[in-house]
Amino acid sequence: MLRQFLKTKPFFIKLLNREYWPAWVNYLPVYPYYLYLSARARSLFFFSAANPSIETGGMTGESKIAIMDLIADEYKPKSLLIKEGASAEFVVELLKKEAINYPIVLKPDIGERGLLVSKVGDEATLRQKLAENPINLIIQPFITYDEEYAIMYYRYPDQQEGKITSITKKEFLSVVGNGKNTLQELIWQQSRAILQWKKLKVKYANRLTEVLPKSKKLELVSIGNHSTGTMFIDANHINDKQLERVFDKIALGMEGVYFGRFDLKCRSIADMKAGKTIQIVEFNGVGAEPTHIYDPNCSLWECYRALLNHWSIMYKIGIAVHHQLGVPYMTLAETRQRLRDNKIYKKGLKL
């Protein structure tokens, strides 16, 4: 009885599952290691040189549309930048002109950890989102491929082949009907869904008393972020030379990019390894994490090991790019300005 009670309380769900612990816990050994690496590099911002073509190397304040522009068209969906102040009429007409149909994905041009990313299913909702959030936004068609992965990749500037260090498969938050329980009851049977209850009870207000047929699956959330309930599953076992060569080809086409994570959708693992049906919805630079550390079965010690290795590689790449290509490290003044310019945290945004 006590165990069942604890499974329904958000506080205890988070306490008993490491994937929900505060970020600072995961990074405890990284902080002193970062200072050690900074001392060796003689710069607190050695990481900024790892991706010369990305502002701050991709640590903070970088433009997502500028990064998407570096990726070959065959590997990405059409991505439109909607500048702050653009009228809803202009955006609606632009979607028609570019033949982008609903549903679409709306995301801030500057953001992180899935903040303010939403799936928009109709024009009325789009108009509402645009009115509520006066910032630079990106619109992409919603990709319907079944598989979604996060691929952590790096390559040294003097080499043509790189390595994949982390592969995460994303499993979207969903429930399966049994012909007996209501949607609300099914949600409350799953701890991951309970944590999203405040949002789900609003989104599905008209369906909470609905009884789903037996074996009927309902995807509750369609955006693959951990913060929205998506389960991150360690998929490192699928890595091989064939897959690494695919991402070599993609990364070699991205001039001045050597380290980061590809967030993508594809139809199958076989397709991805063949370089087919890959749609990269986002690339994150040095600020990205090896997201398999959020697998429910990943221990704290494995998390530490992965993050320390992650920062070790980042350091080596930054140093190599700095010395071999003469790329300067970011300065403290530049860092402060980036943080001031980052409007994503402005109060009142509701996306």
Side-chain angles (χ1 to χ4, degrees):
M1 290 291 291
L2 178 60
R3 187 175 182 180
Q4 188 60 37
F5 171 78
L6 296 179
K7 286 183 177 180
T8 64
K9 301 301 178 182
F11 173 80
F12 290 106
I13 292 173
K14 293 180 179 181
L15 179 65
L16 298 174
N17 294 276
R18 190 200 62 78
E19 61 176 305
Y20 301 118
W21 290 0
W24 65 264
V25 177
N26 293 334
Y27 280 83
L28 275 175
V30 176
Y31 299 136
Y33 187 54
Y34 161 70
L35 293 176
Y36 164 72
L37 295 176
S38 297
R40 290 188 62 186
R42 298 183 180 180
S43 171
L44 288 171
F45 309 108
F46 60 83
F47 51 78
S48 65
N51 294 315
S53 293
I54 302 176
E55 298 168 293
T56 74
M59 181 59 76
T60 185
E62 71 276 13
S63 166
K64 293 183 182 297
I65 197 71
I67 298 175
M68 292 299 292
D69 287 343
L70 299 172
I71 302 171
D73 290 344
E74 63 180 301
Y75 297 116
K76 66 183 180 184
K78 186 176 291 186
S79 302
L80 305 178
L81 175 63
I82 307 302
K83 293 188 176 181
E84 179 180 346
S87 68
E89 287 70 25
F90 169 80
V91 176
V92 170
E93 289 303 314
L94 182 61
L95 289 180
K96 293 178 181 178
K97 178 181 177 181
E98 297 293 336
I100 296 179
N101 300 317
Y102 297 98
I104 59 174
V105 174
L106 196 62
K107 64 177 72 173
D109 184 41
I110 298 175
E112 57 187 41
R113 291 183 177 273
L115 183 65
L116 305 183
V117 179
S118 63
K119 179 182 177 183
V120 176
D122 54 64
E123 182 180 319
T125 305
L126 173 62
R127 288 177 176 272
Q128 178 185 349
K129 298 293 186 183
L130 292 172
E132 291 174 344
N133 301 281
I135 57 174
N136 287 352
L137 296 166
I138 296 175
I139 289 178
Q140 294 175 330
F142 181 75
I143 306 300
T144 58
Y145 294 162
D146 292 334
E147 305 278 327
E148 184 161 343
Y149 292 91
I151 310 286
M152 201 78 209
Y153 170 93
Y154 76 90
R155 176 176 60 85
Y156 289 101
D158 60 347
Q159 297 180 9
Q160 295 296 299
E161 294 186 352
K163 294 286 185 182
I164 290 173
T165 59
S166 173
I167 303 178
T168 306
K169 181 178 181 180
K170 299 181 180 182
E171 185 175 292
F172 297 107
L173 183 63
S174 61
V175 293
V176 179
N178 56 17
K180 299 177 182 179
N181 293 110
T182 64
L183 176 56
Q184 180 171 336
E185 290 170 338
L186 292 173
I187 290 173
W188 276 87
Q189 289 174 7
Q190 187 179 152
S191 60
R192 190 172 296 275
I194 291 173
L195 295 179
Q196 303 298 320
W197 174 242
K198 288 184 179 180
K199 295 178 182 178
L200 294 177
K201 69 179 180 180
V202 175
K203 181 177 181 179
Y204 294 99
N206 298 325
R207 300 185 63 182
L208 293 177
T209 58
E210 178 184 336
V211 176
L212 294 185
K214 188 175 181 179
S215 301
K216 173 69 174 180
K217 183 176 182 180
L218 174 63
E219 189 174 88
L220 299 173
V221 178
S222 302
I223 300 297
N225 295 311
H226 192 259
S227 61
T228 60
T230 299
M231 183 185 294
F232 285 9
I233 301 172
D234 187 331
N236 285 309
H237 62 279
I238 72 171
N239 190 24
D240 57 22
K241 292 294 183 183
Q242 181 182 6
L243 188 61
E244 288 183 333
R245 297 299 78 80
V246 169
F247 283 90
D248 283 338
K249 180 180 179 182
I250 296 172
L252 284 167
M254 301 170 66
E255 184 178 355
V257 175
Y258 303 101
F259 183 95
R261 191 187 70 228
F262 295 93
D263 293 338
L264 62 91
K265 287 189 173 185
C266 61
R267 287 198 175 126
S268 66
I269 294 174
D271 266 10
M272 183 166 60
K273 289 189 175 185
K276 300 177 180 178
T277 71
I278 293 174
Q279 289 290 280
I280 299 166
V281 296
E282 196 166 296
F283 179 85
N284 295 279
V286 296
E289 295 176 302
T291 51
H292 75 275
I293 64 174
Y294 295 107
D295 183 304
N297 295 315
C298 180
S299 70
L300 182 60
W301 304 114
E302 168 56 25
C303 171
Y304 286 165
R305 188 199 69 78
L307 286 175
L308 290 172
N309 181 59
H310 176 78
W311 276 84
S312 174
I313 294 171
M314 190 193 307
Y315 166 79
K316 293 174 183 176
I317 296 288
I319 292 295
V321 173
H322 177 69
H323 288 295
Q324 294 177 24
L325 304 182
V327 175
Y329 299 133
M330 189 169 59
T331 66
L332 181 59
E334 289 172 333
T335 304
R336 286 175 174 170
Q337 188 60 48
R338 293 294 181 193
L339 293 174
R340 291 193 194 100
D341 292 342
N342 192 347
K343 292 186 177 181
I344 194 63
Y345 302 106
K346 186 168 63 175
K347 292 182 179 179
L349 301 180
K350 302 177 181 179
L351 195 60

Coordinates of all heavy atoms in Angstrom, one line a residue, residues 122-170:
D122 N -3.6 23.8 -35.8 CA -4.5 24.6 -36.6 C -4.2 26.1 -36.6 O -3.3 26.5 -35.8 CB -6.0 24.4 -36.1 CG -6.1 24.8 -34.6 OD1 -5.9 25.9 -34.2 OD2 -6.5 23.8 -33.8
E123 N -4.8 26.8 -37.5 CA -4.4 28.3 -37.6 C -4.8 29.1 -36.4 O -4.1 30.0 -36.0 CB -5.2 28.8 -38.9 CG -4.9 30.3 -39.1 CD -5.6 30.8 -40.4 OE1 -5.7 30.1 -41.4 OE2 -6.1 32.0 -40.3
A124 N -5.9 28.8 -35.8 CA -6.4 29.5 -34.6 C -5.3 29.4 -33.5 O -5.0 30.4 -32.8 CB -7.7 29.1 -34.1
T125 N -4.8 28.2 -33.3 CA -3.8 28.0 -32.2 C -2.5 28.7 -32.6 O -1.9 29.3 -31.7 CB -3.6 26.5 -32.0 OG1 -4.8 25.9 -31.7 CG2 -2.6 26.3 -30.8
L126 N -2.2 28.7 -33.8 CA -1.0 29.4 -34.3 C -1.1 30.9 -34.0 O -0.1 31.5 -33.5 CB -0.7 29.1 -35.8 CG 0.4 29.9 -36.4 CD1 1.7 29.6 -35.8 CD2 0.5 29.7 -37.9
R127 N -2.2 31.5 -34.3 CA -2.4 32.9 -34.1 C -2.3 33.2 -32.6 O -1.7 34.3 -32.2 CB -3.8 33.3 -34.6 CG -3.8 33.4 -36.2 CD -5.2 33.7 -36.6 NE -5.3 33.9 -38.1 CZ -5.0 35.0 -38.8 NH1 -4.7 36.1 -38.1 NH2 -5.1 35.0 -40.1
Q128 N -2.8 32.4 -31.8 CA -2.8 32.6 -30.3 C -1.3 32.5 -29.8 O -0.9 33.4 -29.1 CB -3.6 31.5 -29.6 CG -3.5 31.6 -28.1 CD -4.3 30.5 -27.4 OE1 -5.0 29.7 -28.1 NE2 -4.1 30.4 -26.1
K129 N -0.6 31.5 -30.3 CA 0.8 31.4 -29.9 C 1.7 32.6 -30.3 O 2.5 33.1 -29.6 CB 1.4 30.1 -30.5 CG 0.8 28.8 -30.0 CD 1.0 28.5 -28.6 CE 0.4 27.2 -28.2 NZ 0.5 26.9 -26.7
L130 N 1.5 33.1 -31.5 CA 2.2 34.2 -32.0 C 1.9 35.4 -31.2 O 2.9 36.2 -30.9 CB 1.9 34.4 -33.5 CG 2.3 33.4 -34.5 CD1 1.8 33.6 -35.9 CD2 3.9 33.3 -34.6
A131 N 0.7 35.6 -30.8 CA 0.3 36.8 -30.0 C 0.9 36.7 -28.6 O 1.3 37.8 -28.1 CB -1.2 36.9 -30.0
E132 N 1.0 35.6 -28.1 CA 1.5 35.4 -26.7 C 3.0 35.5 -26.6 O 3.5 35.8 -25.5 CB 1.0 34.1 -26.1 CG -0.5 34.0 -25.9 CD -0.9 32.6 -25.5 OE1 -0.1 31.6 -25.7 OE2 -2.1 32.5 -25.0
N133 N 3.7 35.2 -27.7 CA 5.2 35.1 -27.6 C 5.9 35.9 -28.6 O 6.2 35.4 -29.7 CB 5.5 33.6 -27.7 CG 4.9 32.8 -26.6 OD1 5.3 32.7 -25.5 ND2 3.8 32.1 -27.0
P134 N 6.1 37.2 -28.3 CA 6.8 38.1 -29.3 C 8.3 37.9 -29.3 O 9.1 38.8 -28.9 CB 6.4 39.5 -28.7 CG 6.3 39.3 -27.3 CD 5.7 37.9 -27.1
I135 N 8.8 36.8 -29.8 CA 10.2 36.5 -30.0 C 10.4 35.9 -31.3 O 9.5 35.5 -32.0 CB 10.7 35.5 -28.9 CG1 9.9 34.2 -28.9 CG2 10.7 36.2 -27.5 CD1 10.4 33.2 -27.9
N136 N 11.7 35.7 -31.7 CA 12.0 35.0 -33.0 C 11.6 33.5 -32.8 O 12.0 32.9 -31.9 CB 13.5 35.2 -33.3 CG 13.8 36.5 -33.8 OD1 13.0 37.4 -34.0 ND2 15.1 36.8 -33.9
L137 N 10.8 33.0 -33.7 CA 10.4 31.7 -33.7 C 10.7 30.9 -34.9 O 10.9 31.5 -36.0 CB 8.8 31.6 -33.5 CG 8.3 32.2 -32.2 CD1 6.8 32.5 -32.3 CD2 8.6 31.3 -31.0
I138 N 10.8 29.6 -34.8 CA 11.0 28.7 -36.0 C 9.8 27.8 -36.2 O 9.2 27.3 -35.2 CB 12.2 27.8 -35.8 CG1 13.5 28.7 -35.7 CG2 12.4 26.8 -36.9 CD1 14.8 27.9 -35.3
I139 N 9.4 27.7 -37.4 CA 8.3 26.8 -37.8 C 8.8 25.7 -38.6 O 9.5 25.9 -39.6 CB 7.1 27.5 -38.5 CG1 6.4 28.5 -37.6 CG2 6.2 26.5 -39.1 CD1 5.3 29.3 -38.2
Q140 N 8.5 24.4 -38.2 CA 8.8 23.3 -39.0 C 7.6 22.4 -39.2 O 6.7 22.3 -38.3 CB 9.9 22.4 -38.3 CG 11.3 23.1 -38.2 CD 12.2 22.3 -37.3 OE1 11.9 21.5 -36.5 NE2 13.5 22.4 -37.7
P141 N 7.5 21.7 -40.3 CA 6.4 20.7 -40.4 C 6.6 19.6 -39.4 O 7.8 19.3 -39.1 CB 6.5 20.2 -41.9 CG 8.0 20.4 -42.2 CD 8.3 21.7 -41.5
F142 N 5.6 19.1 -38.8 CA 5.7 18.0 -37.9 C 6.0 16.7 -38.6 O 5.3 16.3 -39.5 CB 4.4 17.8 -37.1 CG 4.4 16.7 -36.1 CD1 5.1 16.9 -34.9 CD2 3.8 15.5 -36.3 CE1 5.2 15.9 -33.9 CE2 3.9 14.5 -35.4 CZ 4.5 14.6 -34.2
I143 N 7.1 16.1 -38.3 CA 7.6 14.9 -39.0 C 6.9 13.7 -38.4 O 7.0 13.5 -37.1 CB 9.1 14.7 -38.9 CG1 9.8 16.0 -39.4 CG2 9.6 13.5 -39.7 CD1 9.5 16.3 -40.8
T144 N 6.3 12.8 -39.2 CA 5.5 11.7 -38.7 C 6.2 10.4 -38.6 O 5.6 9.4 -38.3 CB 4.2 11.5 -39.5 OG1 4.6 11.3 -40.9 CG2 3.3 12.8 -39.5
Y145 N 7.5 10.4 -38.9 CA 8.3 9.1 -38.8 C 8.2 8.6 -37.4 O 8.1 9.3 -36.4 CB 9.8 9.4 -39.1 CG 10.0 9.8 -40.6 CD1 11.2 10.4 -40.9 CD2 9.1 9.6 -41.5 CE1 11.5 10.8 -42.3 CE2 9.3 10.0 -42.9 CZ 10.5 10.6 -43.2 OH 10.7 10.9 -44.5
D146 N 8.2 7.2 -37.3 CA 8.0 6.6 -36.0 C 9.1 6.6 -35.0 O 8.9 6.6 -33.8 CB 7.7 5.1 -36.3 CG 6.3 4.9 -37.0 OD1 5.4 5.7 -36.8 OD2 6.2 3.9 -37.7
E147 N 10.4 6.7 -35.5 CA 11.5 6.6 -34.6 C 12.1 8.0 -34.4 O 12.3 8.8 -35.3 CB 12.6 5.7 -35.3 CG 12.1 4.3 -35.6 CD 12.1 3.4 -34.4 OE1 12.9 3.5 -33.5 OE2 11.2 2.5 -34.3
E148 N 12.5 8.3 -33.1 CA 13.2 9.5 -32.8 C 14.4 9.2 -32.0 O 14.3 8.5 -31.0 CB 12.3 10.5 -32.1 CG 12.9 11.8 -31.8 CD 11.9 13.0 -31.6 OE1 10.7 12.8 -31.9 OE2 12.4 14.0 -31.1
Y149 N 15.6 9.8 -32.3 CA 16.8 9.5 -31.7 C 17.6 10.8 -31.4 O 17.4 11.8 -32.1 CB 17.7 8.6 -32.5 CG 17.2 7.2 -32.7 CD1 16.3 6.9 -33.7 CD2 17.5 6.2 -31.7 CE1 15.8 5.6 -33.9 CE2 17.0 4.9 -31.9 CZ 16.2 4.6 -32.9 OH 15.7 3.3 -33.1
A150 N 18.5 10.7 -30.4 CA 19.5 11.8 -30.2 C 20.8 11.1 -30.3 O 21.2 10.2 -29.6 CB 19.3 12.3 -28.8
I151 N 21.6 11.7 -31.2 CA 22.9 11.1 -31.6 C 24.0 12.1 -31.2 O 24.2 13.1 -31.8 CB 23.0 10.8 -33.1 CG1 21.8 10.0 -33.6 CG2 24.4 10.1 -33.4 CD1 21.8 8.5 -33.1
M152 N 24.9 11.7 -30.2 CA 26.0 12.5 -29.8 C 27.2 12.2 -30.6 O 27.6 11.0 -30.7 CB 26.3 12.3 -28.3 CG 27.1 13.4 -27.7 SD 26.0 14.8 -27.3 CE 27.2 16.1 -27.4
Y153 N 27.8 13.2 -31.3 CA 28.9 12.9 -32.3 C 30.0 13.9 -32.1 O 29.8 15.1 -31.8 CB 28.3 13.0 -33.7 CG 29.3 13.0 -34.8 CD1 29.6 11.8 -35.5 CD2 29.9 14.2 -35.3 CE1 30.6 11.8 -36.5 CE2 30.8 14.2 -36.3 CZ 31.1 13.0 -36.9 OH 32.0 13.0 -38.0
Y154 N 31.2 13.5 -32.4 CA 32.4 14.4 -32.4 C 33.4 14.0 -33.5 O 33.4 12.8 -33.9 CB 33.1 14.5 -31.1 CG 34.0 13.3 -30.7 CD1 35.3 13.3 -31.1 CD2 33.4 12.2 -30.1 CE1 36.1 12.2 -30.8 CE2 34.3 11.1 -29.8 CZ 35.6 11.2 -30.1 OH 36.4 10.1 -29.8
R155 N 34.2 15.0 -33.9 CA 35.2 14.7 -34.9 C 36.4 15.7 -34.7 O 36.1 16.9 -34.5 CB 34.7 14.8 -36.3 CG 35.7 14.6 -37.5 CD 35.0 14.6 -38.8 NE 34.3 15.8 -39.1 CZ 34.9 17.0 -39.6 NH1 36.2 17.0 -39.9 NH2 34.2 18.0 -39.8
Y156 N 37.6 15.3 -34.8 CA 38.7 16.2 -34.7 C 38.9 17.0 -36.0 O 38.7 16.4 -37.1 CB 40.0 15.5 -34.3 CG 40.0 15.0 -32.9 CD1 39.7 13.7 -32.5 CD2 40.2 15.9 -31.8 CE1 39.6 13.2 -31.2 CE2 40.1 15.5 -30.5 CZ 39.9 14.2 -30.2 OH 39.8 13.7 -28.9
P157 N 39.4 18.2 -36.0 CA 39.4 19.0 -37.2 C 40.4 18.5 -38.3 O 40.2 18.8 -39.5 CB 39.9 20.4 -36.7 CG 40.5 20.1 -35.4 CD 39.8 19.0 -34.8
D158 N 41.3 17.7 -37.9 CA 42.3 17.2 -38.9 C 41.9 15.7 -39.3 O 42.7 15.1 -40.0 CB 43.7 17.2 -38.3 CG 43.8 16.3 -37.1 OD1 42.8 15.9 -36.5 OD2 45.0 16.1 -36.7
Q159 N 40.7 15.3 -39.0 CA 40.3 13.9 -39.4 C 39.0 14.0 -40.2 O 38.2 14.9 -40.0 CB 40.2 13.1 -38.1 CG 41.5 12.9 -37.3 CD 41.3 12.1 -36.1 OE1 40.2 11.5 -35.9 NE2 42.3 12.0 -35.3
Q160 N 38.8 12.9 -41.0 CA 37.6 12.8 -41.8 C 36.6 11.9 -41.2 O 35.4 11.8 -41.6 CB 38.0 12.3 -43.2 CG 38.9 13.2 -44.0 CD 38.2 14.5 -44.3 OE1 37.1 14.5 -45.0 NE2 38.7 15.6 -43.9
E161 N 37.0 11.1 -40.1 CA 36.1 10.2 -39.5 C 35.9 10.6 -38.0 O 36.9 10.9 -37.3 CB 36.6 8.8 -39.6 CG 36.5 8.2 -41.0 CD 36.9 6.8 -41.1 OE1 37.3 6.2 -40.1 OE2 36.8 6.2 -42.2
G162 N 34.7 10.5 -37.5 CA 34.4 10.8 -36.1 C 33.9 9.7 -35.4 O 33.9 8.5 -35.8
K163 N 33.3 10.0 -34.2 CA 32.8 8.9 -33.3 C 31.5 9.3 -32.8 O 31.2 10.5 -32.5 CB 33.8 8.7 -32.1 CG 35.1 8.1 -32.5 CD 35.0 6.6 -32.9 CE 36.4 6.0 -33.1 NZ 36.2 4.6 -33.5
I164 N 30.6 8.3 -32.5 CA 29.4 8.5 -31.8 C 29.6 8.1 -30.4 O 30.0 6.9 -30.2 CB 28.2 7.7 -32.5 CG1 27.9 8.3 -33.9 CG2 27.0 7.7 -31.6 CD1 26.9 7.5 -34.7
T165 N 29.2 8.9 -29.4 CA 29.5 8.6 -28.0 C 28.2 8.3 -27.3 O 28.2 7.8 -26.1 CB 30.2 9.7 -27.3 OG1 29.5 10.9 -27.4 CG2 31.6 9.9 -27.9
S166 N 27.1 8.6 -27.8 CA 25.8 8.4 -27.1 C 24.7 8.3 -28.1 O 24.6 9.1 -29.1 CB 25.5 9.5 -26.1 OG 24.2 9.4 -25.6
I167 N 23.8 7.3 -27.9 CA 22.6 7.2 -28.8 C 21.4 7.0 -27.8 O 21.4 6.1 -26.9 CB 22.6 6.0 -29.7 CG1 23.9 6.2 -30.7 CG2 21.4 5.9 -30.6 CD1 24.0 5.0 -31.6
T168 N 20.4 7.8 -27.9 CA 19.2 7.8 -27.1 C 18.0 7.6 -28.0 O 17.8 8.4 -28.9 CB 19.1 9.0 -26.2 OG1 20.2 9.2 -25.5 CG2 17.9 8.9 -25.3
K169 N 17.2 6.6 -27.7 CA 15.9 6.5 -28.4 C 14.8 7.2 -27.5 O 14.8 7.0 -26.3 CB 15.5 5.0 -28.6 CG 14.2 4.9 -29.3 CD 13.9 3.4 -29.6 CE 12.6 3.3 -30.4 NZ 12.2 1.8 -30.6
K170 N 13.9 7.9 -28.1 CA 12.9 8.6 -27.4 C 11.5 7.9 -27.5 O 11.1 7.5 -28.6 CB 12.7 10.0 -27.9 CG 14.0 10.9 -27.8 CD 13.8 12.3 -28.2 CE 15.1 13.1 -28.1 NZ 14.9 14.5 -28.5

